[in-house]
Amino acid sequence: MSEKLPYGTTMPTGEATSEVTAVPTETIAVITGGARGIGRYLSEAFAKAGYHVVVTATSTERAERAAAEIVDATGAAATGVGLRTDDIDSVKSFREAVGVLEAETGRRLQVLINNAGRIESTEGPLWDADPESIKGVVDANVLGVALMVNALAPVLMTAAEATGRPSRIIDLNSGSGAKGTPAYAVYSASKAALFRIADSVVHFGHDKGLRIFEMAPGVVETSMTKSMPVHDFRQGDDWTSPKQLTDLALALVSGTLDAFTGRYVRAGKDSEDSLLAEAASGLADSARRLVLG
């Protein structure tokens, strides 16, 4: 590449108003880890909204079962596909499967939600963590996202050009990425890494129709969050509701919040209305980003 590469990313300007909005009935939405937990809430909500949802899980059987349950519950379209996001061959096969689904349905892949992820098995100092757990977190949360963007960004950009509508990626980020959680050092580091991946997507993909958002889901009550001692105090309204999560995700992919491409938002704190109001007053280049120095 011959261009002089900058340190840092110049964020796009002039997007306080929404761009061309999504058309769910013409769109495929991939949700990794969509068979359970937060991913399952997202899969069901996107199916209800009219998207053809591709639900992934490391087990093909579990992915297909979840998709069938979503179809039964919503009457909408869903397909289950086995996928290991941290495995190059698995991701390559998945991309081919998406191409087949596009041909069969006449829809385009224009939504990718990188939801699949892991957290350390124990809280505390990094030196007390299990090495296999550390590796698993990095593989799922960093390598997995990088491989999915690597494989599917060209598909998303092709769809944006064909439809005249931007394609959109949501990374499930975390307050641990934005501010850090010392008891989960590797998880925090992995989520911070997603901000840097997003910077690159904005730099190289914005003019080709890609938008990307770092969305923290808040703290939704799932088997994973319930297993974490740091959340033992939570009850009632201390948890983020699934609806707050899914409403914000649907708004991000709709096109109304494209001013926040490359930036961080949080379900339970941010809503479509509050973010629209913030965008209308103008966003500084550093707003809702990890910027040092």
PDB file of all heavy atoms in Angstrom, residues 56-87:
ATOM      1  N   THR A  56     -25.522 -18.462  14.689  1.00  0.00           N
ATOM      2  CA  THR A  56     -24.370 -19.353  14.737  1.00  0.00           C
ATOM      3  C   THR A  56     -24.124 -19.844  16.157  1.00  0.00           C
ATOM      4  O   THR A  56     -24.450 -19.177  17.137  1.00  0.00           O
ATOM      5  CB  THR A  56     -23.071 -18.696  14.212  1.00  0.00           C
ATOM      6  OG1 THR A  56     -22.437 -17.945  15.249  1.00  0.00           O
ATOM      7  CG2 THR A  56     -23.356 -17.810  13.010  1.00  0.00           C
ATOM      8  N   ALA A  57     -23.541 -21.024  16.228  1.00  0.00           N
ATOM      9  CA  ALA A  57     -23.070 -21.608  17.476  1.00  0.00           C
ATOM     10  C   ALA A  57     -21.931 -22.539  17.112  1.00  0.00           C
ATOM     11  O   ALA A  57     -21.810 -22.971  15.954  1.00  0.00           O
ATOM     12  CB  ALA A  57     -24.185 -22.375  18.191  1.00  0.00           C
ATOM     13  N   THR A  58     -21.089 -22.868  18.072  1.00  0.00           N
ATOM     14  CA  THR A  58     -19.980 -23.775  17.766  1.00  0.00           C
ATOM     15  C   THR A  58     -20.491 -25.157  17.404  1.00  0.00           C
ATOM     16  O   THR A  58     -19.822 -25.904  16.681  1.00  0.00           O
ATOM     17  CB  THR A  58     -19.010 -23.862  18.947  1.00  0.00           C
ATOM     18  OG1 THR A  58     -19.731 -24.226  20.130  1.00  0.00           O
ATOM     19  CG2 THR A  58     -18.313 -22.527  19.175  1.00  0.00           C
ATOM     20  N   SER A  59     -21.680 -25.514  17.877  1.00  0.00           N
ATOM     21  CA  SER A  59     -22.324 -26.772  17.532  1.00  0.00           C
ATOM     22  C   SER A  59     -23.376 -26.532  16.458  1.00  0.00           C
ATOM     23  O   SER A  59     -24.295 -25.731  16.649  1.00  0.00           O
ATOM     24  CB  SER A  59     -22.989 -27.388  18.773  1.00  0.00           C
ATOM     25  OG  SER A  59     -23.967 -28.336  18.422  1.00  0.00           O
ATOM     26  N   THR A  60     -23.243 -27.224  15.319  1.00  0.00           N
ATOM     27  CA  THR A  60     -24.241 -27.088  14.260  1.00  0.00           C
ATOM     28  C   THR A  60     -25.620 -27.482  14.761  1.00  0.00           C
ATOM     29  O   THR A  60     -26.624 -26.803  14.464  1.00  0.00           O
ATOM     30  CB  THR A  60     -23.853 -27.966  13.055  1.00  0.00           C
ATOM     31  OG1 THR A  60     -22.594 -27.532  12.544  1.00  0.00           O
ATOM     32  CG2 THR A  60     -24.897 -27.880  11.951  1.00  0.00           C
ATOM     33  N   GLU A  61     -25.693 -28.547  15.537  1.00  0.00           N
ATOM     34  CA  GLU A  61     -26.978 -29.011  16.062  1.00  0.00           C
ATOM     35  C   GLU A  61     -27.632 -27.935  16.927  1.00  0.00           C
ATOM     36  O   GLU A  61     -28.835 -27.676  16.811  1.00  0.00           O
ATOM     37  CB  GLU A  61     -26.784 -30.284  16.881  1.00  0.00           C
ATOM     38  CG  GLU A  61     -28.074 -30.832  17.479  1.00  0.00           C
ATOM     39  CD  GLU A  61     -27.837 -32.056  18.345  1.00  0.00           C
ATOM     40  OE1 GLU A  61     -26.676 -32.496  18.461  1.00  0.00           O
ATOM     41  OE2 GLU A  61     -28.815 -32.571  18.910  1.00  0.00           O
ATOM     42  N   ARG A  62     -26.844 -27.282  17.775  1.00  0.00           N
ATOM     43  CA  ARG A  62     -27.399 -26.260  18.656  1.00  0.00           C
ATOM     44  C   ARG A  62     -27.843 -25.039  17.845  1.00  0.00           C
ATOM     45  O   ARG A  62     -28.883 -24.437  18.138  1.00  0.00           O
ATOM     46  CB  ARG A  62     -26.362 -25.867  19.709  1.00  0.00           C
ATOM     47  CG  ARG A  62     -26.835 -24.846  20.701  1.00  0.00           C
ATOM     48  CD  ARG A  62     -26.109 -24.984  22.036  1.00  0.00           C
ATOM     49  NE  ARG A  62     -24.674 -25.137  21.888  1.00  0.00           N
ATOM     50  CZ  ARG A  62     -23.815 -24.119  21.762  1.00  0.00           C
ATOM     51  NH1 ARG A  62     -24.270 -22.885  21.767  1.00  0.00           N
ATOM     52  NH2 ARG A  62     -22.517 -24.354  21.661  1.00  0.00           N
ATOM     53  N   ALA A  63     -27.075 -24.674  16.827  1.00  0.00           N
ATOM     54  CA  ALA A  63     -27.444 -23.539  15.986  1.00  0.00           C
ATOM     55  C   ALA A  63     -28.743 -23.813  15.231  1.00  0.00           C
ATOM     56  O   ALA A  63     -29.636 -22.962  15.173  1.00  0.00           O
ATOM     57  CB  ALA A  63     -26.316 -23.233  15.006  1.00  0.00           C
ATOM     58  N   GLU A  64     -28.849 -25.009  14.671  1.00  0.00           N
ATOM     59  CA  GLU A  64     -30.055 -25.350  13.911  1.00  0.00           C
ATOM     60  C   GLU A  64     -31.279 -25.455  14.818  1.00  0.00           C
ATOM     61  O   GLU A  64     -32.388 -25.044  14.442  1.00  0.00           O
ATOM     62  CB  GLU A  64     -29.835 -26.659  13.153  1.00  0.00           C
ATOM     63  CG  GLU A  64     -28.818 -26.518  12.016  1.00  0.00           C
ATOM     64  CD  GLU A  64     -28.545 -27.831  11.321  1.00  0.00           C
ATOM     65  OE1 GLU A  64     -28.895 -28.902  11.883  1.00  0.00           O
ATOM     66  OE2 GLU A  64     -27.972 -27.809  10.205  1.00  0.00           O
ATOM     67  N   ARG A  65     -31.080 -25.992  16.016  1.00  0.00           N
ATOM     68  CA  ARG A  65     -32.196 -26.089  16.963  1.00  0.00           C
ATOM     69  C   ARG A  65     -32.681 -24.701  17.387  1.00  0.00           C
ATOM     70  O   ARG A  65     -33.885 -24.434  17.450  1.00  0.00           O
ATOM     71  CB  ARG A  65     -31.779 -26.902  18.182  1.00  0.00           C
ATOM     72  CG  ARG A  65     -32.919 -27.084  19.200  1.00  0.00           C
ATOM     73  CD  ARG A  65     -32.552 -28.099  20.275  1.00  0.00           C
ATOM     74  NE  ARG A  65     -31.415 -27.669  21.077  1.00  0.00           N
ATOM     75  CZ  ARG A  65     -30.219 -28.236  21.039  1.00  0.00           C
ATOM     76  NH1 ARG A  65     -29.971 -29.263  20.239  1.00  0.00           N
ATOM     77  NH2 ARG A  65     -29.246 -27.779  21.818  1.00  0.00           N
ATOM     78  N   ALA A  66     -31.750 -23.807  17.650  1.00  0.00           N
ATOM     79  CA  ALA A  66     -32.123 -22.451  18.038  1.00  0.00           C
ATOM     80  C   ALA A  66     -32.861 -21.746  16.912  1.00  0.00           C
ATOM     81  O   ALA A  66     -33.874 -21.061  17.147  1.00  0.00           O
ATOM     82  CB  ALA A  66     -30.874 -21.652  18.421  1.00  0.00           C
ATOM     83  N   ALA A  67     -32.375 -21.908  15.685  1.00  0.00           N
ATOM     84  CA  ALA A  67     -33.045 -21.278  14.549  1.00  0.00           C
ATOM     85  C   ALA A  67     -34.462 -21.807  14.388  1.00  0.00           C
ATOM     86  O   ALA A  67     -35.397 -21.033  14.134  1.00  0.00           O
ATOM     87  CB  ALA A  67     -32.235 -21.510  13.276  1.00  0.00           C
ATOM     88  N   ALA A  68     -34.633 -23.094  14.542  1.00  0.00           N
ATOM     89  CA  ALA A  68     -35.979 -23.689  14.433  1.00  0.00           C
ATOM     90  C   ALA A  68     -36.899 -23.149  15.517  1.00  0.00           C
ATOM     91  O   ALA A  68     -38.083 -22.858  15.263  1.00  0.00           O
ATOM     92  CB  ALA A  68     -35.888 -25.211  14.517  1.00  0.00           C
ATOM     93  N   GLU A  69     -36.384 -22.994  16.715  1.00  0.00           N
ATOM     94  CA  GLU A  69     -37.188 -22.452  17.817  1.00  0.00           C
ATOM     95  C   GLU A  69     -37.571 -20.997  17.546  1.00  0.00           C
ATOM     96  O   GLU A  69     -38.692 -20.573  17.864  1.00  0.00           O
ATOM     97  CB  GLU A  69     -36.414 -22.567  19.132  1.00  0.00           C
ATOM     98  CG  GLU A  69     -36.257 -24.001  19.615  1.00  0.00           C
ATOM     99  CD  GLU A  69     -35.284 -24.135  20.774  1.00  0.00           C
ATOM    100  OE1 GLU A  69     -34.646 -23.123  21.144  1.00  0.00           O
ATOM    101  OE2 GLU A  69     -35.146 -25.263  21.298  1.00  0.00           O
ATOM    102  N   ILE A  70     -36.653 -20.237  16.971  1.00  0.00           N
ATOM    103  CA  ILE A  70     -36.943 -18.839  16.632  1.00  0.00           C
ATOM    104  C   ILE A  70     -38.017 -18.758  15.559  1.00  0.00           C
ATOM    105  O   ILE A  70     -38.938 -17.932  15.624  1.00  0.00           O
ATOM    106  CB  ILE A  70     -35.660 -18.120  16.200  1.00  0.00           C
ATOM    107  CG1 ILE A  70     -34.733 -17.955  17.407  1.00  0.00           C
ATOM    108  CG2 ILE A  70     -35.959 -16.768  15.567  1.00  0.00           C
ATOM    109  CD1 ILE A  70     -33.332 -17.512  17.061  1.00  0.00           C
ATOM    110  N   VAL A  71     -37.921 -19.624  14.556  1.00  0.00           N
ATOM    111  CA  VAL A  71     -38.947 -19.658  13.509  1.00  0.00           C
ATOM    112  C   VAL A  71     -40.304 -19.999  14.106  1.00  0.00           C
ATOM    113  O   VAL A  71     -41.334 -19.366  13.804  1.00  0.00           O
ATOM    114  CB  VAL A  71     -38.561 -20.666  12.409  1.00  0.00           C
ATOM    115  CG1 VAL A  71     -39.725 -20.865  11.439  1.00  0.00           C
ATOM    116  CG2 VAL A  71     -37.324 -20.186  11.649  1.00  0.00           C
ATOM    117  N   ASP A  72     -40.343 -20.992  14.988  1.00  0.00           N
ATOM    118  CA  ASP A  72     -41.604 -21.387  15.625  1.00  0.00           C
ATOM    119  C   ASP A  72     -42.178 -20.255  16.469  1.00  0.00           C
ATOM    120  O   ASP A  72     -43.394 -20.042  16.496  1.00  0.00           O
ATOM    121  CB  ASP A  72     -41.388 -22.624  16.508  1.00  0.00           C
ATOM    122  CG  ASP A  72     -41.156 -23.887  15.707  1.00  0.00           C
ATOM    123  OD1 ASP A  72     -41.462 -23.888  14.499  1.00  0.00           O
ATOM    124  OD2 ASP A  72     -40.642 -24.868  16.278  1.00  0.00           O
ATOM    125  N   ALA A  73     -41.306 -19.528  17.155  1.00  0.00           N
ATOM    126  CA  ALA A  73     -41.769 -18.480  18.069  1.00  0.00           C
ATOM    127  C   ALA A  73     -42.176 -17.204  17.355  1.00  0.00           C
ATOM    128  O   ALA A  73     -43.072 -16.487  17.818  1.00  0.00           O
ATOM    129  CB  ALA A  73     -40.672 -18.161  19.086  1.00  0.00           C
ATOM    130  N   THR A  74     -41.536 -16.905  16.226  1.00  0.00           N
ATOM    131  CA  THR A  74     -41.760 -15.619  15.565  1.00  0.00           C
ATOM    132  C   THR A  74     -42.472 -15.726  14.223  1.00  0.00           C
ATOM    133  O   THR A  74     -43.016 -14.731  13.735  1.00  0.00           O
ATOM    134  CB  THR A  74     -40.419 -14.892  15.334  1.00  0.00           C
ATOM    135  OG1 THR A  74     -39.630 -15.641  14.382  1.00  0.00           O
ATOM    136  CG2 THR A  74     -39.643 -14.747  16.634  1.00  0.00           C
ATOM    137  N   GLY A  75     -42.426 -16.911  13.609  1.00  0.00           N
ATOM    138  CA  GLY A  75     -42.963 -17.052  12.258  1.00  0.00           C
ATOM    139  C   GLY A  75     -42.077 -16.399  11.219  1.00  0.00           C
ATOM    140  O   GLY A  75     -42.467 -16.269  10.054  1.00  0.00           O
ATOM    141  N   ALA A  76     -40.880 -15.990  11.624  1.00  0.00           N
ATOM    142  CA  ALA A  76     -39.972 -15.287  10.727  1.00  0.00           C
ATOM    143  C   ALA A  76     -38.921 -16.244  10.179  1.00  0.00           C
ATOM    144  O   ALA A  76     -38.982 -17.455  10.384  1.00  0.00           O
ATOM    145  CB  ALA A  76     -39.322 -14.121  11.465  1.00  0.00           C
ATOM    146  N   ALA A  77     -37.939 -15.680   9.482  1.00  0.00           N
ATOM    147  CA  ALA A  77     -36.923 -16.497   8.814  1.00  0.00           C
ATOM    148  C   ALA A  77     -35.648 -16.544   9.642  1.00  0.00           C
ATOM    149  O   ALA A  77     -35.128 -15.514  10.077  1.00  0.00           O
ATOM    150  CB  ALA A  77     -36.621 -15.917   7.438  1.00  0.00           C
ATOM    151  N   ALA A  78     -35.143 -17.748   9.857  1.00  0.00           N
ATOM    152  CA  ALA A  78     -33.886 -17.929  10.573  1.00  0.00           C
ATOM    153  C   ALA A  78     -33.212 -19.199  10.088  1.00  0.00           C
ATOM    154  O   ALA A  78     -33.880 -20.191   9.768  1.00  0.00           O
ATOM    155  CB  ALA A  78     -34.114 -18.000  12.075  1.00  0.00           C
ATOM    156  N   THR A  79     -31.891 -19.158  10.037  1.00  0.00           N
ATOM    157  CA  THR A  79     -31.084 -20.293   9.617  1.00  0.00           C
ATOM    158  C   THR A  79     -29.977 -20.509  10.640  1.00  0.00           C
ATOM    159  O   THR A  79     -29.320 -19.547  11.057  1.00  0.00           O
ATOM    160  CB  THR A  79     -30.446 -20.030   8.237  1.00  0.00           C
ATOM    161  OG1 THR A  79     -31.480 -19.788   7.272  1.00  0.00           O
ATOM    162  CG2 THR A  79     -29.607 -21.217   7.789  1.00  0.00           C
ATOM    163  N   GLY A  80     -29.785 -21.741  11.044  1.00  0.00           N
ATOM    164  CA  GLY A  80     -28.725 -22.063  11.986  1.00  0.00           C
ATOM    165  C   GLY A  80     -27.514 -22.643  11.276  1.00  0.00           C
ATOM    166  O   GLY A  80     -27.661 -23.531  10.425  1.00  0.00           O
ATOM    167  N   VAL A  81     -26.338 -22.152  11.625  1.00  0.00           N
ATOM    168  CA  VAL A  81     -25.100 -22.613  10.994  1.00  0.00           C
ATOM    169  C   VAL A  81     -24.028 -22.791  12.072  1.00  0.00           C
ATOM    170  O   VAL A  81     -23.820 -21.904  12.903  1.00  0.00           O
ATOM    171  CB  VAL A  81     -24.586 -21.604   9.943  1.00  0.00           C
ATOM    172  CG1 VAL A  81     -23.310 -22.130   9.279  1.00  0.00           C
ATOM    173  CG2 VAL A  81     -25.654 -21.331   8.888  1.00  0.00           C
ATOM    174  N   GLY A  82     -23.358 -23.930  12.045  1.00  0.00           N
ATOM    175  CA  GLY A  82     -22.241 -24.145  12.950  1.00  0.00           C
ATOM    176  C   GLY A  82     -21.049 -23.298  12.545  1.00  0.00           C
ATOM    177  O   GLY A  82     -20.736 -23.198  11.356  1.00  0.00           O
ATOM    178  N   LEU A  83     -20.383 -22.681  13.523  1.00  0.00           N
ATOM    179  CA  LEU A  83     -19.265 -21.789  13.214  1.00  0.00           C
ATOM    180  C   LEU A  83     -18.347 -21.657  14.416  1.00  0.00           C
ATOM    181  O   LEU A  83     -18.813 -21.420  15.536  1.00  0.00           O
ATOM    182  CB  LEU A  83     -19.792 -20.395  12.843  1.00  0.00           C
ATOM    183  CG  LEU A  83     -18.755 -19.270  12.715  1.00  0.00           C
ATOM    184  CD1 LEU A  83     -17.828 -19.506  11.526  1.00  0.00           C
ATOM    185  CD2 LEU A  83     -19.443 -17.919  12.606  1.00  0.00           C
ATOM    186  N   ARG A  84     -17.059 -21.814  14.166  1.00  0.00           N
ATOM    187  CA  ARG A  84     -16.041 -21.432  15.141  1.00  0.00           C
ATOM    188  C   ARG A  84     -15.376 -20.176  14.602  1.00  0.00           C
ATOM    189  O   ARG A  84     -14.597 -20.236  13.642  1.00  0.00           O
ATOM    190  CB  ARG A  84     -15.013 -22.542  15.337  1.00  0.00           C
ATOM    191  CG  ARG A  84     -15.537 -23.756  16.088  1.00  0.00           C
ATOM    192  CD  ARG A  84     -14.382 -24.647  16.539  1.00  0.00           C
ATOM    193  NE  ARG A  84     -13.450 -23.911  17.395  1.00  0.00           N
ATOM    194  CZ  ARG A  84     -13.571 -23.813  18.726  1.00  0.00           C
ATOM    195  NH1 ARG A  84     -14.591 -24.393  19.336  1.00  0.00           N
ATOM    196  NH2 ARG A  84     -12.676 -23.134  19.428  1.00  0.00           N
ATOM    197  N   THR A  85     -15.680 -19.048  15.207  1.00  0.00           N
ATOM    198  CA  THR A  85     -15.195 -17.783  14.667  1.00  0.00           C
ATOM    199  C   THR A  85     -13.685 -17.647  14.724  1.00  0.00           C
ATOM    200  O   THR A  85     -13.105 -16.833  13.989  1.00  0.00           O
ATOM    201  CB  THR A  85     -15.830 -16.593  15.407  1.00  0.00           C
ATOM    202  OG1 THR A  85     -15.504 -16.658  16.798  1.00  0.00           O
ATOM    203  CG2 THR A  85     -17.345 -16.598  15.239  1.00  0.00           C
ATOM    204  N   ASP A  86     -13.027 -18.423  15.583  1.00  0.00           N
ATOM    205  CA  ASP A  86     -11.570 -18.328  15.696  1.00  0.00           C
ATOM    206  C   ASP A  86     -10.840 -19.357  14.845  1.00  0.00           C
ATOM    207  O   ASP A  86      -9.625 -19.511  14.969  1.00  0.00           O
ATOM    208  CB  ASP A  86     -11.132 -18.456  17.156  1.00  0.00           C
ATOM    209  CG  ASP A  86     -11.546 -19.784  17.781  1.00  0.00           C
ATOM    210  OD1 ASP A  86     -12.315 -20.540  17.148  1.00  0.00           O
ATOM    211  OD2 ASP A  86     -11.102 -20.071  18.912  1.00  0.00           O
ATOM    212  N   ASP A  87     -11.570 -20.032  13.959  1.00  0.00           N
ATOM    213  CA  ASP A  87     -10.986 -21.044  13.091  1.00  0.00           C
ATOM    214  C   ASP A  87     -11.085 -20.582  11.641  1.00  0.00           C
ATOM    215  O   ASP A  87     -12.187 -20.348  11.131  1.00  0.00           O
ATOM    216  CB  ASP A  87     -11.710 -22.382  13.269  1.00  0.00           C
ATOM    217  CG  ASP A  87     -11.118 -23.471  12.409  1.00  0.00           C
ATOM    218  OD1 ASP A  87     -10.187 -24.154  12.861  1.00  0.00           O
ATOM    219  OD2 ASP A  87     -11.589 -23.638  11.260  1.00  0.00           O
TER     220      ASP A  87
END
